[in-house]
Amino acid sequence: MPIAQAIDDLTTLLGERVSLSKPDLEAHGASESYFPNTPPQAVTYPRTSEEVRRIVEICARESVPVIGWGAGTSLEGHGQALQGGVSVDFRLMNKVLEIRPADMDVTVQPGVTREALNEELRATGLFFPVDPGANASLGGMTMTRASGTTTVRYGSMRDNVLGMEVVLADGRMIRTGTRARKSAAGYDLTALMVGSEGTLGLATELTLRLHGVPEAISAGICAFPDMGAATACVMETIQMGIPMARIEFACGQTARAFNAYAGTDMAEAPHLMVEFHGSPESTAQDAERFAEIVADHGGSAFRWSGREEERRALWSMRHNGYYAILASRPGARGVVTDICVPISRLAEAVEATQADIATSGIPGPILGHVGDGNFHAILLVDPDQPAEQQTAKDLAARMAKRALQLGGTCTGEHGVGYGKLPFMAAEHGQGWQVMGAIKRALDPQNIMNPGKLVPGN
Amino acid sequence: MPIAQAIDDLTTLLGERVSLSKPDLEAHGASESYFPNTPPQAVTYPRTSEEVRRIVEICARESVPVIGWGAGTSLEGHGQALQGGVSVDFRLMNKVLEIRPADMDVTVQPGVTREALNEELRATGLFFPVDPGANASLGGMTMTRASGTTTVRYGSMRDNVLGMEVVLADGRMIRTGTRARKSAAGYDLTALMVGSEGTLGLATELTLRLHGVPEAISAGICAFPDMGAATACVMETIQMGIPMARIEFACGQTARAFNAYAGTDMAEAPHLMVEFHGSPESTAQDAERFAEIVADHGGSAFRWSGREEERRALWSMRHNGYYAILASRPGARGVVTDICVPISRLAEAVEATQADIATSGIPGPILGHVGDGNFHAILLVDPDQPAEQQTAKDLAARMAKRALQLGGTCTGEHGVGYGKLPFMAAEHGQGWQVMGAIKRALDPQNIMNPGKLVPGN
């Protein structure tokens, strides 16, 4: 058996850092979403890039699948072992290798989480801004092209990964990018790897762009009489050129879930949560200008603050949004949608989604990064009721189709994994076949995270 | 002869928009740099995406090379027909197809130049910021991953192309990206195509990100006693977080060339040219803070102005830098270097370059986008003296090697073409072979701009 031979060789290489225990295998076959458990046959815990390289080499020789694993916070089943194989868990590769304040960049191992990195950067006056909510690993964030609450200001992983060290499917190791801020030296392999979901190789080192911690931050929250007023406020804020660092939407159902989960007393109405970065003067001015726009759209008084503890409470509530929503229907699993549309079509997209959910009979609170045109409906399904799951999947499919019709994408930030595979042909047409051709060129045995992202895989 | 058959079929398709005239062929075999003329066998002037698709289809059937041509401002021989074939000149595909102010994006045909686009955008309050100096076509800028004076603030083409329509080597047409501001839906084919130099396909439509015209702009210039003082000033400005829209360096020799070409009276010393975008208050404040840093580094009084005509004169001078430098040695051709290094290594890179040029005996004025760590030495060689050309090439090779040693790239913005091919193996290692594998997967006949960018091509 190729897998038996691979496990023997991996054990020679890694000793006790190869695990075959049932709980460990199941933990690496699980997801935070609605997918069934699909465990790998072994879990490995490498400590170095060279160990990762040798793991891939062994698996390549035996034609055994290799699946990367970060913090397990993916929502589209990225880390699941659909065809068995070897899970490569990066938790021991959690070192910040070099911080370079003068160049405002940092090199890390992929197992470092975004919170751990920011903790380590605390004394430097710099921070890493990409913030998907969960305390994901930076390797996982890179490979899923994560974004989140601050993308409207600082960009996504696409904009903040300068270069990578990658182990390819044949065990070769390459470096993509340089530490220069820009380059025109050939195909942008960094951009190709960011968002490739481990289907082209495993990242073993990342060089990330850092940003200066703003001198001042103001943040606040306000309620709106209806959805349309809230999205109109977002559009006008963007068009006025007010530089938001975050602008997040939560629907009335989400507000109710926050109240139950976090003990808050939000009105059960659509809300915007907003943050401004700059100087004390500019952030106060931005908040005042925003408050005027809110008032023009019939919103509640915009309560804002420059105090850190109040901001922390606000964003902690937002970051727990997924869990708060899950808790609002005990025992439910979430079918998470993630569409992103041009900002001019946002109101239309949200309204049509809400109407669709309302007629489905399934709870589907909405929240999202509306400054980017990206929002999520969390469709809460009873895992024991297949009919509900089907209804949710049908709803999600209609949302994805609607996003494409509006010039958008079926996934703004969660990635394809295997949950979004059914929409790839419609979104990319022949472009999806091009992705498949690239995959076959770099991984002809199809051992890198098979069953994800590309066609016929 | 396959080419004869291709020309017949192209003539059936395009009529008089196929040119076989010698001047036309030579114009499409020329470059703005030191490369010998290598004309194609035919030049085509398509008007529509579908015509481009059929051109590629005809050439694919006959295995004839296809080379895209924009405004001919490339500096690395990108448009030259090294193996003959058919040049596809996009000048008739020069329509701005749709401006969407609410989404701050625009869709254009690739033959639109950046100046023409900004002219068309004038009434909208929006502009397209990427500014390589030359009035290049947006298709050419996309395919070379151009950047320039404003990249320090607005990014390069990598950051400002949202999506493309591309004709592939087999005549298939794909759309990359969507109009959503972000997406995690699979491999980033847009980023793969940006900077691919026509070796994977021809862009027939571009969707570009626009930015709001700033309410106020201030710009100015100042001189420094030496190079080290100027680069130290750049580094401190970046570290203070002063938001520059442009920060350009010109050495003393370049200042002399400006004086001779534009009738200015600059001191023959290193200069910085700087621009700030924002509100009247913020741009005045930025200019004042910058002036203090300049004074701390022994610079001359920082003369700045918010008046448009003064700014125009300043940037017109800068944009003509290449031509001013060429004119400083009549009859000379330029071997243009384009290294980009981490900002912390900028002073070291410029000083080592200047010392190297000084001992070579060849004039080599320096100018560049120092906020990105990117600068150019224009090595002026007599085209009739092969020994000088060799000296310049050796110099350029040492500069590229030095950039790599400092963690940088051999080309910050000009691209590879065939001028930078000799440095690709050193910069990318096995990564260059990965580029080759991608190329072969998408263009197995190697008809798309052969001889450029990838190995063994």
Side-chain angles (χ1 to χ4, degrees), chain A residues 101-104 144-145 147-148 151 156 158-159 161 168 172-175 177-192 194-197 199-200 235 238-239 338 340-345 369 372 374 406-416 424 427-428 430-439 441-442 453-454, chain B residues 101-104 144-145 147-148 151 156 158-159 161 168 172-175 177-192 194-197 199-200 235 238-239 338 340-345 369 372 374 406-416 424 427-428 430-439 441-442 453-454:
Chain A
D103 293 314
M104 297 175 75
T144 54
R145 202 182 300 124
S147 49
T151 295
S156 73
R158 179 188 200 276
D159 309 295
V161 180
L168 301 174
R172 273 183 302 170
M173 194 175 266
I174 62 169
R175 280 193 177 273
T178 69
R179 290 212 307 107
R181 276 300 157 118
K182 62 180 193 182
S183 172
Y187 304 159
D188 190 341
L189 296 183
T190 303
L192 180 64
V194 172
S196 65
E197 306 187 354
T199 62
L200 299 176
M235 281 193 57
I238 291 169
Q239 277 163 26
D338 176 37
C340 188
V341 298
I343 202 78
S344 64
R345 314 305 292 269
H369 317 303
D372 305 315
N374 180 209
L406 297 174
T409 175
C410 69
T411 173
E413 56 182 11
H414 293 166
V416 183
M424 290 291 277
E427 177 154 343
H428 298 289
Q430 282 294 315
W432 197 32
Q433 301 301 325
V434 171
M435 295 183 202
I438 294 169
K439 162 75 171 176
L442 300 188
L453 199 151
V454 291
Chain B
D103 293 314
M104 296 173 75
T144 54
R145 202 183 299 125
S147 49
T151 295
S156 72
R158 179 188 200 278
D159 310 294
V161 180
L168 301 175
R172 272 183 303 170
M173 194 175 267
I174 62 169
R175 281 194 177 271
T178 69
R179 290 211 308 107
R181 276 300 156 117
K182 63 180 193 183
S183 172
Y187 304 159
D188 191 340
L189 296 182
T190 303
L192 180 65
V194 172
S196 65
E197 305 186 355
T199 62
L200 299 177
M235 281 193 57
I238 291 169
Q239 278 163 26
D338 176 36
C340 187
V341 297
I343 203 79
S344 63
R345 315 304 292 271
H369 316 302
D372 305 315
N374 181 208
L406 296 173
T409 175
C410 70
T411 173
E413 57 182 10
H414 293 166
V416 182
M424 290 292 277
E427 178 155 341
H428 298 287
Q430 282 294 315
W432 197 32
Q433 301 301 325
V434 171
M435 295 182 202
I438 294 169
K439 162 75 170 176
L442 299 188
L453 198 150
V454 291

Side-chain angles (χ1 to χ4, degrees), chain A residues 76-376:
Chain A
E76 296 295 354
H78 290 92
Q80 291 186 271
L82 300 179
Q83 303 173 16
V86 173
S87 181
V88 182
D89 184 320
F90 284 95
R91 76 181 60 185
L92 302 180
M93 289 180 67
N94 62 353
K95 284 180 202 60
V96 175
L97 298 172
E98 194 179 357
I99 303 171
R100 305 177 201 87
D103 293 314
M104 297 175 75
D105 66 30
V106 64
T107 299
V108 301
Q109 288 187 312
V112 176
T113 66
R114 65 175 186 85
E115 288 179 6
L117 174 60
N118 280 322
E119 193 55 46
E120 194 122 358
L121 291 171
R122 194 173 277 259
T124 63
L126 300 169
F127 78 116
F128 183 71
V130 183
D131 174 8
N135 186 22
S137 74
L138 293 160
M141 287 168 63
T142 299
M143 281 307 191
T144 54
R145 202 182 300 124
S147 49
T149 58
T150 60
T151 295
V152 66
R153 166 91 177 229
Y154 297 98
S156 73
M157 292 307 280
R158 179 188 200 276
D159 309 295
N160 287 287
V161 180
L162 287 169
M164 299 165 74
E165 180 183 76
V166 181
V167 175
L168 301 174
D170 57 7
R172 273 183 302 170
M173 194 175 266
I174 62 169
R175 280 193 177 273
T176 73
T178 69
R179 290 212 307 107
R181 276 300 157 118
K182 62 180 193 182
S183 172
Y187 304 159
D188 190 341
L189 296 183
T190 303
L192 180 64
M193 290 294 165
V194 172
S196 65
E197 306 187 354
T199 62
L200 299 176
L202 292 177
T204 48
E205 217 177 275
L206 312 166
T207 296
L208 306 173
R209 190 167 185 156
L210 301 175
H211 298 260
V213 173
E215 190 190 350
I217 302 179
S218 66
I221 184 168
C222 53
F224 289 86
D226 55 50
M227 181 61 231
T231 49
C233 177
V234 172
M235 281 193 57
E236 192 172 329
T237 306
I238 291 169
Q239 277 163 26
M240 296 286 287
I242 300 178
M244 299 155 293
R246 289 173 154 128
I247 184 160
E248 297 284 307
F249 173 76
C251 75
Q253 281 184 59
T254 301
R256 183 161 61 226
F258 283 155
N259 288 341
Y261 191 80
T264 48
D265 62 345
M266 292 166 70
E268 289 183 10
H271 280 74
L272 290 178
M273 289 166 264
V274 187
E275 187 166 281
F276 304 102
H277 291 181
S279 66
E281 301 76 33
S282 75
T283 53
Q285 194 182 45
D286 292 339
E288 296 301 343
R289 286 173 69 197
F290 180 70
E292 285 167 26
I293 298 173
V294 172
D296 287 348
H297 291 279
S300 69
F302 177 60
R303 292 178 298 175
W304 65 276
S305 168
R307 290 175 54 203
E308 188 172 348
E309 65 217 78
E310 291 179 46
R311 281 191 289 108
R312 273 189 193 274
L314 179 68
W315 297 118
S316 156
M317 180 177 78
R318 168 65 186 88
H319 282 158
N320 285 314
Y322 181 54
Y323 305 107
I325 287 169
L326 279 183
S328 72
R329 186 176 181 192
R333 304 284 278 167
V335 173
V336 186
T337 67
D338 176 37
I339 68 173
C340 188
V341 298
I343 202 78
S344 64
R345 314 305 292 269
L346 177 63
E348 195 176 341
V350 176
E351 278 162 20
T353 300
Q354 287 192 316
D356 206 354
I357 291 171
T359 58
S360 76
I362 291 178
I366 287 178
L367 75 181
H369 317 303
V370 285
D372 305 315
N374 180 209
F375 67 92
H376 313 296

Side-chain angles (χ1 to χ4, degrees), chain B residues 29-239:
Chain B
S31 87
E32 294 218 347
S33 195
Y34 61 96
F35 307 109
N37 199 296
T38 48
Q41 289 146 302
V43 182
T44 56
Y45 297 92
R47 284 210 179 101
T48 64
S49 299
E50 175 59 15
E51 283 183 352
V52 176
R53 202 191 62 70
R54 291 181 64 188
I55 292 168
V56 174
E57 211 169 49
I58 289 167
C59 291
R61 202 193 53 219
E62 304 296 333
S63 304
V64 162
V66 184
I67 309 107
W69 187 271
T73 55
S74 151
L75 292 168
E76 296 295 354
H78 291 93
Q80 291 185 271
L82 300 179
Q83 303 173 15
V86 174
S87 181
V88 182
D89 186 319
F90 284 96
R91 76 182 59 186
L92 301 180
M93 289 180 68
N94 62 352
K95 286 181 199 60
V96 175
L97 298 173
E98 194 180 357
I99 303 171
R100 305 177 200 87
D103 293 314
M104 296 173 75
D105 66 29
V106 64
T107 300
V108 301
Q109 288 187 313
V112 176
T113 66
R114 64 174 187 86
E115 288 179 6
L117 174 59
N118 280 323
E119 193 55 46
E120 195 121 359
L121 291 171
R122 193 173 279 257
T124 62
L126 300 168
F127 79 117
F128 183 71
V130 184
D131 174 8
N135 186 21
S137 73
L138 292 160
M141 287 169 63
T142 298
M143 282 306 191
T144 54
R145 202 183 299 125
S147 49
T149 58
T150 61
T151 295
V152 68
R153 167 91 176 228
Y154 297 98
S156 72
M157 293 307 280
R158 179 188 200 278
D159 310 294
N160 288 287
V161 180
L162 287 170
M164 301 165 72
E165 181 184 75
V166 182
V167 174
L168 301 175
D170 57 8
R172 272 183 303 170
M173 194 175 267
I174 62 169
R175 281 194 177 271
T176 72
T178 69
R179 290 211 308 107
R181 276 300 156 117
K182 63 180 193 183
S183 172
Y187 304 159
D188 191 340
L189 296 182
T190 303
L192 180 65
M193 290 294 165
V194 172
S196 65
E197 305 186 355
T199 62
L200 299 177
L202 292 178
T204 48
E205 217 178 274
L206 312 167
T207 295
L208 306 173
R209 191 167 183 155
L210 301 175
H211 298 260
V213 173
E215 189 191 350
I217 302 179
S218 66
I221 184 167
C222 53
F224 289 86
D226 55 50
M227 181 61 231
T231 48
C233 177
V234 173
M235 281 193 57
E236 193 172 327
T237 306
I238 291 169
Q239 278 163 26

Side-chain angles (χ1 to χ4, degrees), chain B residues 307-381:
Chain B
R307 290 177 53 204
E308 188 172 349
E309 64 217 80
E310 290 179 47
R311 282 191 290 109
R312 274 189 192 274
L314 178 68
W315 297 118
S316 156
M317 180 178 78
R318 168 63 188 87
H319 283 158
N320 285 315
Y322 180 55
Y323 306 107
I325 287 169
L326 279 183
S328 72
R329 187 177 180 189
R333 304 282 280 166
V335 174
V336 185
T337 67
D338 176 36
I339 68 172
C340 187
V341 297
I343 203 79
S344 63
R345 315 304 292 271
L346 177 63
E348 195 177 342
V350 177
E351 278 162 19
T353 300
Q354 287 191 314
D356 205 354
I357 292 171
T359 58
S360 77
I362 290 177
I366 287 179
L367 76 180
H369 316 302
V370 284
D372 305 315
N374 181 208
F375 67 92
H376 313 295
I378 318 291
L379 308 174
L380 294 170
V381 297

Side-chain angles (χ1 to χ4, degrees), chain B residues 250-320:
Chain B
C251 75
Q253 281 184 59
T254 301
R256 183 161 62 225
F258 283 155
N259 287 341
Y261 192 79
T264 48
D265 62 345
M266 293 166 70
E268 290 183 10
H271 281 73
L272 290 179
M273 288 166 264
V274 187
E275 187 166 280
F276 304 102
H277 291 181
S279 66
E281 302 76 32
S282 76
T283 52
Q285 194 183 45
D286 291 341
E288 296 302 342
R289 287 173 71 197
F290 180 71
E292 286 168 25
I293 298 173
V294 172
D296 288 348
H297 291 280
S300 69
F302 176 59
R303 293 178 298 175
W304 66 274
S305 168
R307 290 177 53 204
E308 188 172 349
E309 64 217 80
E310 290 179 47
R311 282 191 290 109
R312 274 189 192 274
L314 178 68
W315 297 118
S316 156
M317 180 178 78
R318 168 63 188 87
H319 283 158
N320 285 315

